[in-house]
Amino acid sequence: MADHAEPAARPGARLVSRTVEIDDPGPLLDLLPAEQGPLTWVRRGEGLVGWGETARVSTSGPDRFVTAERRWQRLLAGAVVRDDVGLRGTGPVAFGSFAFADGSPSRSQLVVPATVVGHRDGRWWLTRTTLTDGNTDGVIPGPVDGPPPVAPAPPAPGPVAFADGAVSSAAWEALVEAAVRRIDAGEVAKVVLARDLLARTETPLDPRVLLRRLADAYPSTWTFSVDGLVGATPEMLVRTQMRLVASRVLAGTIRRTGDDAHDLALAASLARSSKDLGEHEYAVRSVVEAITPFCAGTNVPESPFVLHLANVMHLATDVTGVLRDDVSSLHLAAALHPSAAVCGTPTTAAAALIAELEGMDRGRYAGPVGWLDSAGDGEWGIALRCGQLSEDAHEIRLFAGCGIVEGSDPAAELAESTAKFVPMRDALAG
């Protein structure tokens, strides 16, 4: 499939990057300027934010991951880098978001921001990345100013109107029934079905509003923004650092009630649910099978724990390993995608059933989203609890999905999907 990189494709262009340590500039999300296409990956106040665009790689098709990594490596091959900090995420960084399906018309994006501010373990840094023509003569342009100023508060979107997306609620329940019949027939063991919801605002929607509200309400998730895809995911697809790899698997969900005692009882029932434990086992197995070829060893807990979020609880397992060779985080994300948590089991049959039943293009929903640095280290989540902003910023398309297995009840799955819309609906409504 076609791919391109702009503006780095011009002959003689060289990537030039300078990173310096800075004093605490304040909350990362408060630094994002208006109308700059915010790039974010933040959890509990730590992570990366970026703005401006030095280079972009846009790809599609089954080779989208390979193409993006090849173009990223080509950019780095001639790069001139001065990094005074030397942490994971310093130096040149690319934020990325990839389409869920091989045949999706939505393009996957890898964006190199002009400015990045990072925070980790009590240290802050500022990176400027530019493109220069020809020889730099050993001169590395760098930040000569201090930390960026806190940006003015973004405006609230005003009234929001919600409408069905590609499929109505009633029609989606019918799709779940159809999926259960196919499971009973032995075609698949599990399939993840998603639905969408449209939200329209009277005034253009500033994504920084959503980012701040999501980060405040869901601090344990990774708040992300790449090329108009905005959300807060609880699921870490893969993280790498110095040949250590980790992946958090979520599958099996129950909605919280707001009553602490009742929620504890629900958490206990979730941990004992054969339906949810079976769904979770499928997801864990798919992750372990994907990373094992790259690892000298892996560690898989015997049983999941219950992850408590503000609106739902999930069964969760943290899978870890030690990499055999220098494998980039993006390469591992490609190997892991799509996991059983967002596709099903067996993968090929589940993906075909999704394409047949869902009646919509997921775009970059449920695809990998995150970042990588010049060493290949990075963090990639699964784009869940998110929405895709329209070009005119008056509409955002929200997504939610559920794992369908033997015995799944359509009404219960609809209720679960409705609960998964809550983070984005609340962020829009304020």
Side-chain angles (χ1 to χ4, degrees):
M1 301 292 288
D3 67 279
H4 65 273
E6 297 292 349
R10 68 175 185 259
R14 298 184 77 178
L15 203 67
V16 177
S17 180
R18 175 85 158 90
T19 300
V20 297
E21 194 151 3
I22 60 175
D23 294 331
D24 179 359
L28 292 178
L29 295 176
D30 290 355
L31 304 177
L32 293 168
E35 300 175 358
Q36 289 271 345
L39 298 159
T40 66
W41 183 260
V42 175
R43 180 175 184 261
R44 300 193 187 280
E46 295 193 344
L48 302 170
V49 296
W51 57 90
E53 186 175 312
T54 293
R56 173 186 293 258
V57 177
S58 179
T59 68
S60 62
D63 296 329
R64 59 197 180 282
F65 296 100
V66 173
T67 299
E69 181 149 26
R70 184 177 67 243
R71 296 292 295 129
W72 172 236
Q73 291 300 326
R74 194 179 303 170
L75 279 169
L76 294 174
V80 180
V81 179
R82 179 174 171 181
D83 182 356
D84 296 343
V85 181
L87 295 176
R88 186 170 60 108
T90 61
V93 166
F95 290 77
S97 176
F98 289 81
F100 172 80
D102 288 351
S104 172
S106 298
R107 296 192 68 83
S108 302
Q109 308 292 345
L110 203 60
V111 182
V112 183
T115 300
V116 170
V117 180
H119 172 213
R120 182 173 292 110
D121 299 330
R123 299 178 70 183
W124 290 261
W125 64 89
L126 171 66
T127 300
R128 305 277 194 200
T129 303
T130 60
L131 283 167
T132 61
D133 293 317
N135 194 338
T136 63
D137 295 323
V139 178
I140 303 177
V144 293
D145 50 356
V150 173
V160 182
F162 293 94
D164 283 335
V167 177
S168 69
S169 297
W172 193 78
E173 285 191 73
L175 295 181
V176 173
E177 289 181 354
V180 171
R181 288 194 297 270
R182 306 288 279 272
I183 291 168
D184 291 341
E187 294 183 28
V188 295
K190 171 187 173 180
V191 63
V192 179
L193 291 183
R195 52 187 286 244
D196 62 343
L197 184 68
L198 300 180
R200 188 160 185 84
T201 59
E202 293 182 359
T203 58
L205 177 60
D206 190 322
R208 298 175 301 162
V209 174
L210 301 180
L211 293 170
R212 292 187 186 192
R213 290 175 177 175
L214 289 168
D216 287 344
Y218 301 91
S220 63
T221 66
W222 289 268
T223 303
F224 63 86
S225 174
V226 179
D227 197 48
L229 187 70
V230 180
T233 180
E235 190 150 356
M236 174 63 71
L237 181 63
V238 65
R239 173 198 293 116
T240 63
Q241 182 174 10
M242 297 179 65
R243 299 181 70 174
L244 299 178
V245 60
S247 178
R248 170 165 287 185
V249 184
L250 304 183
T253 304
I254 196 165
R255 187 170 187 170
R256 298 190 69 164
T257 65
D259 181 301
D260 290 344
H262 190 195
D263 286 345
L264 284 174
L266 289 175
S269 69
L270 178 64
R272 295 190 302 267
S273 165
S274 58
K275 180 262 185 188
D276 290 292
L277 287 169
E279 179 186 345
H280 189 80
E281 183 182 351
Y282 287 131
V284 171
R285 189 185 308 143
S286 74
V287 168
V288 173
E289 290 175 352
I291 68 170
T292 294
F294 304 100
C295 291
T298 58
N299 179 59
V300 185
E302 291 185 1
S303 57
F305 64 94
V306 177
L307 177 66
H308 294 250
L309 300 177
N311 60 318
V312 295
M313 294 176 284
H314 299 287
L315 291 178
T317 295
D318 289 332
V319 178
T320 57
V322 179
L323 295 173
R324 295 181 187 274
D325 303 302
D326 292 330
V327 180
S328 77
S329 60
L330 181 54
H331 189 92
L332 288 170
L336 284 162
H337 178 75
S339 74
V342 293
C343 181
T345 305
T347 302
T348 302
L353 191 55
I354 288 169
E356 177 186 341
L357 293 181
E358 263 186 6
M360 68 174 188
D361 172 40
R362 291 187 179 188
R364 290 175 289 148
Y365 163 72
V369 60
W371 62 272
L372 81 163
D373 62 19
S374 58
D377 282 334
E379 296 177 313
W380 295 91
I382 299 177
L384 305 173
R385 318 297 198 269
C386 65
Q388 176 64 52
L389 196 62
S390 65
E391 288 189 9
D392 68 2
H394 279 279
E395 187 173 87
I396 186 166
R397 184 181 175 215
L398 313 182
F399 299 90
C402 298
I404 312 303
V405 296
E406 183 180 5
S408 287
D409 175 64
E413 299 299 342
L414 180 64
E416 180 180 322
S417 70
T418 300
K420 290 176 177 177
F421 279 127
V422 167
M424 292 298 294
R425 290 192 66 142
D426 285 356
L428 284 162

